[in-house]
Amino acid sequence: FFFFFFFFQAEDGIRDVERSRGLGDVYKRQAQSFLIGSHQFKRSDYTLTNSRGHALRCSFFEPSDCQRICQVLPCAVFLHGNTSSRLESLPFLRFLLPSNISVFTFD
């Protein structure tokens, strides 16, 4: 069976596209491997570039290889609000990751 999680934040209107606020530095200061309770997890960061050269910064959170219960896990894709960042997903990790649900988030 499948579980689907949808998280959303209501916005008060459509805003103009804004340049990155440099939050990648915050991610660089965080450990790539971390514990939640007695379980070990890891974060992998990616940059996807579209055909126009625009970069999309992404993070994928999943159990460490030694903690993985199966090869394929469900994945929650976290979409933050218009004026927010990937950092908004961090509070949800402590609930989703121990439940064997990986998390993908992007800016």
Side-chain angles (χ1 to χ4, degrees):
F1 60 96
F2 294 94
F3 290 100
F4 294 97
F5 293 93
F6 295 96
F7 301 102
F8 64 93
Q9 176 181 340
E11 293 292 332
D12 59 355
I14 297 173
R15 295 176 178 85
D16 292 334
V17 174
E18 295 180 19
R19 296 194 50 81
S20 172
R21 293 171 290 184
L23 293 172
D25 292 340
V26 174
Y27 271 90
K28 290 176 189 173
R29 291 191 300 263
Q30 292 179 344
Q32 294 289 114
S33 180
F34 57 95
L35 291 173
I36 297 177
S38 62
H39 301 283
Q40 187 169 2
F41 300 95
K42 64 182 179 178
R43 185 190 86 239
S44 303
D45 295 324
Y46 303 95
T47 300
L48 304 176
T49 306
N50 68 11
S51 60
R52 294 187 290 173
H54 297 129
L56 186 65
R57 309 270 188 238
C58 311
S59 293
F60 182 60
F61 298 88
E62 61 182 326
S64 293
D65 295 335
C66 62
Q67 300 273 313
R68 198 173 194 91
I69 62 165
C70 62
Q71 193 72 359
V72 178
L73 295 173
C75 182
V77 178
F78 187 88
L79 307 172
H80 63 74
N82 191 30
T83 60
S84 187
S85 74
R86 293 179 283 169
L87 294 173
E88 196 172 292
S89 69
L90 297 181
F92 295 99
L93 298 180
R94 67 181 187 159
F95 302 108
L96 294 171
L97 291 175
S99 300
N100 293 305
I101 300 171
S102 57
V103 179
F104 183 81
T105 185
F106 56 92
D107 286 333

